[in-house]
Amino acid sequence: MAVDYIVIVVYLAGMLAMGWWGMRRARSKSEFLVAGRRLGPALYSGTMAAIVLGGASTIGGVGLGYQYGLSGAWMVFTIGLGLLALSVFFSARIARLRVYTVSEMLDLRYGGRAGVISGVVMWAYTLMLAVTSTIAYATIFDVLFDIHRTLAIVLGGSIVVAYSTLGGMWSITLTDMVQFVVKTIGVLLLLLPIAVVKAGGFSEMKAQLPTEYFDPLGIGGETIFTYVLIYTFGMLIGQDIWQRVFTARSDRTAKWGGTVAGTYCLAYAVGGAVIGTAAKVLYPNLAADDAFATIVKDELPTGVRGLVLAAALAAVMSTSSGALIACATVANNDIWSRLRGTLRSSADTADEGEHGEVTGNRAFILLMGVAVILTAIVLNDVVEALTVAYNLLVGGLLVPILGGLLWRRGTAAGALAAVAAGGLAVIGLMAAYGILATEPVCYGLLASLAAYLVVSLATKPTDEAVLAAWRERLAGRAAPEPVSEAVAAPQ
């Protein structure tokens, strides 16, 4: 596997080199956190597709195809549907707000009092998303180098932390674009046709497998509904996704670039399920999670195998880096800045300069990166932990966020009541029904919606000055941010 190792090492070295290059461009807070809000359609589409299609979508998507056949595409398919819904209905308005976090949007819409709790919930979600992606390095590096789980996590995680800390969103954008190309070539253009041919073609696959493997609803209606609740709705409000929307240079780019990325996700979902189905024909007695690694290791020629494993690594790195910068952004801007504001006078914090902003955000990425690596080492199974984070995210934050975008009568008190009611309902119902049950997020959403409507209608409407400022932002009339003259707009 010497050639495969060379491919992987060159790929990893390239990621670090792009981190160093991105450091030279990230000279302001805007450039460091949202790439100067200057990404054109090509970069935006590629990087948005890269962040939502991570290790779970690649390795997990193939595993679901192995277990359920073509209907195993539904998990990744609902991710694509969520991205399409976000892009078509909300992304233009989100891009025009010119904020950095979801909590800042809530503060702007409701008058500066609704973002504190949401920041903590969003931080927990992004942290667990980063941890999950980091743990996936152990699987990939075990196939590549047969090294210990802890060393694999430290190696993969350190590379992501390094290039993310150096250049922020510029580095992550550049690496994600490379990762998007590698995933497209490795998974869709190489692994997919090779797997189908090795399995004897679709006719042989149909002859070898039960008919339910080719039933588009074979995975079950309840499972599909759960995926919609968690992943489709999660795509609408996650900080990691919104932070990519903030990078678009125009609302048109956000809308149409995101639509292209969402459509790509739908194709990627079907491709992963077909690969898994082919693996079932070739290796009928595997554990589902081993399907991707096994078919890559045993069926692909030297060099191609290295590229496809690099594609899997790219999938994990893109989600990991996106979640990491989102986690650090929320920790610094929504949590630490508020705590610091209570400890320091406004005169002390009024003017820290652009360099100080970049240095502070860079320090938080490094700090959160170390926390993610350490958490990934001590946590063996994060499926339940990630489910808790998603349930709290959707159950607690979906209603006040979408309500703020769609309903003028929503108030800060209603938003806080929605977060509290939905969050408490989710926690209580997870204790009663189990963490992986569907009921907690369903009833949590209903509780959140009821609290939002009742409390908003029972309290004084949002101050007209707040709503006027909100409308100014939605119309795209926010003051422009300073842009370094050294940075050219990507096309």
Side-chain angles (χ1 to χ4, degrees):
M1 295 181 64
V3 175
D4 298 325
Y5 293 157
I6 292 173
V7 171
I8 299 297
V9 170
V10 169
Y11 168 76
L12 295 176
M15 297 300 100
L16 292 174
M18 290 186 181
W20 182 264
W21 187 85
M23 182 177 65
R24 302 173 60 186
R25 300 175 69 95
R27 300 181 181 181
S28 70
K29 178 180 178 180
S30 174
E31 291 164 2
F32 189 82
L33 293 182
V34 290
R37 308 187 194 276
R38 297 162 69 80
L39 297 192
L43 276 179
Y44 180 85
S45 298
T47 57
M48 181 63 87
I51 189 177
V52 300
L53 295 174
S57 300
T58 303
I59 300 171
V62 171
L64 287 171
Y66 183 89
Q67 189 172 0
Y68 297 105
L70 298 186
S71 66
W74 272 106
M75 183 187 76
V76 183
F77 205 82
T78 55
I79 291 173
L81 292 177
L83 185 53
L84 284 172
L86 174 71
S87 301
V88 172
F89 299 112
F90 300 108
S91 64
R93 278 177 282 182
I94 293 171
R96 287 195 294 265
L97 291 175
R98 301 185 73 81
V99 294
Y100 292 100
T101 68
V102 175
S103 295
E104 285 183 39
M105 168 265 171
L106 291 173
D107 281 346
L108 181 66
R109 167 60 179 82
Y110 294 112
R113 293 174 292 167
V116 181
I117 299 176
S118 67
V120 175
V121 174
M122 194 66 74
W123 174 79
Y125 157 72
T126 53
L127 178 71
M128 291 314 303
L129 185 62
V131 168
T132 305
S133 302
T134 303
I135 287 178
Y137 294 128
T139 301
I140 299 172
F141 279 101
D142 178 60
V143 175
L144 286 173
F145 307 117
D146 192 24
I147 60 178
H148 190 270
R149 175 183 182 275
T150 299
L151 181 57
I153 289 172
V154 171
L155 178 59
S158 296
I159 293 172
V160 170
V161 171
Y163 72 69
S164 300
T165 302
L166 287 172
M169 188 59 82
W170 274 123
S171 296
I172 293 172
T173 295
L174 296 171
T175 55
D176 277 2
M177 195 63 198
V178 173
Q179 289 158 359
F180 169 74
V181 173
V182 171
K183 279 191 289 190
T184 301
I185 296 174
V187 176
L188 295 183
L189 300 184
L190 293 176
L191 181 58
L192 175 59
I194 290 173
V196 172
V197 170
K198 292 282 187 178
F202 285 103
S203 58
E204 183 64 20
M205 290 162 62
K206 288 184 177 180
Q208 292 289 332
L209 296 173
T211 56
E212 55 263 28
Y213 264 73
F214 302 91
D215 180 358
L217 302 178
I219 199 170
E222 182 177 349
T223 299
I224 295 171
F225 181 64
T226 302
Y227 288 156
V228 170
L229 283 178
I230 294 178
Y231 297 114
T232 301
F233 287 162
M235 288 294 107
L236 297 179
I237 58 175
Q239 169 67 24
D240 52 324
I241 309 302
W242 276 43
Q243 199 157 344
R244 291 311 174 95
V245 177
F246 300 151
T247 66
R249 72 181 179 194
S250 68
D251 52 5
R252 182 178 177 85
T253 296
K255 181 176 182 178
W256 296 110
T259 301
V260 171
T263 304
Y264 177 88
C265 291
L266 303 183
Y268 199 87
V270 175
V274 171
I275 292 169
T277 305
K280 184 67 176 180
V281 174
L282 295 168
Y283 310 98
N285 298 314
L286 292 176
D289 289 342
D290 295 334
F292 180 87
T294 301
I295 196 169
V296 169
K297 192 173 183 178
D298 292 351
E299 301 297 335
L300 298 184
T302 300
V304 174
R305 179 171 53 223
L307 182 60
V308 173
L309 288 173
L313 196 58
V316 175
M317 283 186 161
S318 58
T319 300
S320 181
S321 59
L324 176 59
I325 194 171
C327 179
T329 303
V330 170
N332 187 19
N333 292 269
D334 294 336
I335 300 176
W336 171 244
S337 63
R338 297 174 193 272
L339 295 175
R340 185 179 58 174
T342 65
L343 298 173
R344 299 170 61 187
S345 68
S346 58
D348 293 329
T349 59
D351 185 16
E352 294 185 339
E354 288 294 334
H355 178 72
E357 291 276 13
V358 173
T359 301
N361 283 289
R362 183 173 281 134
F364 263 88
I365 291 181
L366 180 60
L367 179 63
M368 291 299 104
V370 172
V372 165
I373 291 172
L374 293 177
T375 305
I377 290 172
V378 301
L379 208 59
N380 289 320
D381 185 359
V382 298
V383 173
E384 291 191 352
L386 187 62
T387 301
V388 170
Y390 262 110
N391 284 351
L392 287 173
L393 176 72
V394 175
L397 296 183
L398 181 71
V399 170
I401 291 172
L402 295 189
L405 290 170
L406 299 173
W407 192 40
R408 185 177 184 276
R409 186 61 179 81
T411 65
L416 290 172
V419 175
L424 291 174
V426 165
I427 293 172
L429 291 168
M430 282 191 296
Y433 287 97
I435 290 175
L436 300 179
T438 305
E439 288 84 356
V441 69
C442 290
Y443 295 134
L445 274 173
L446 291 176
S448 182
L449 178 61
Y452 184 70
L453 294 175
V454 171
V455 175
S456 290
L457 292 173
T459 53
K460 183 180 177 180
T462 304
D463 186 86
E464 186 57 38
V466 172
L467 290 178
W470 169 253
R471 288 192 293 269
E472 285 287 305
R473 288 294 190 102
L474 281 181
R477 292 192 286 267
E481 294 169 302
V483 179
S484 171
E485 294 181 359
V487 180
Q491 299 299 315

